[in-house]
Amino acid sequence: MRIEVDRNRCEGHAMCEAAAPEYFSVDDEGVLTILTEEVPDSDKAQAHGAVLSCPVAALKLLSR
């Protein structure tokens, strides 16, 4: 699976970072960085939870 962000929607709430800090980082100005786009099957549930935590639905998990 691969993480994708819609930068036009992202507001920097950092809920994704709180749920999966090894995949997401939000700086002091609210800019999201995806640390690792590819998600192994073993982390699929954690990444999915982080995507669902986004209050503005700016994140997606896509099949490889």
Side-chain angles (χ1 to χ4, degrees):
M1 301 201 88
R2 186 172 57 84
I3 300 168
E4 184 176 282
V5 61
D6 180 342
R7 300 223 175 258
N8 292 321
R9 292 184 71 106
C10 181
E11 296 178 354
H13 294 282
M15 301 300 291
C16 57
E17 181 182 28
E22 61 276 5
Y23 290 99
F24 304 97
S25 177
V26 179
D27 69 16
D28 292 340
E29 297 186 13
V31 177
L32 171 66
T33 300
I34 297 177
L35 303 173
T36 305
E37 289 182 2
E38 294 296 324
V39 178
D41 289 340
S42 60
D43 287 348
K44 183 176 164 182
Q46 182 181 16
H48 182 68
V51 167
L52 292 177
S53 75
C54 181
V56 295
L59 300 169
K60 289 185 207 176
L61 274 181
L62 304 173
S63 297
R64 292 182 190 147

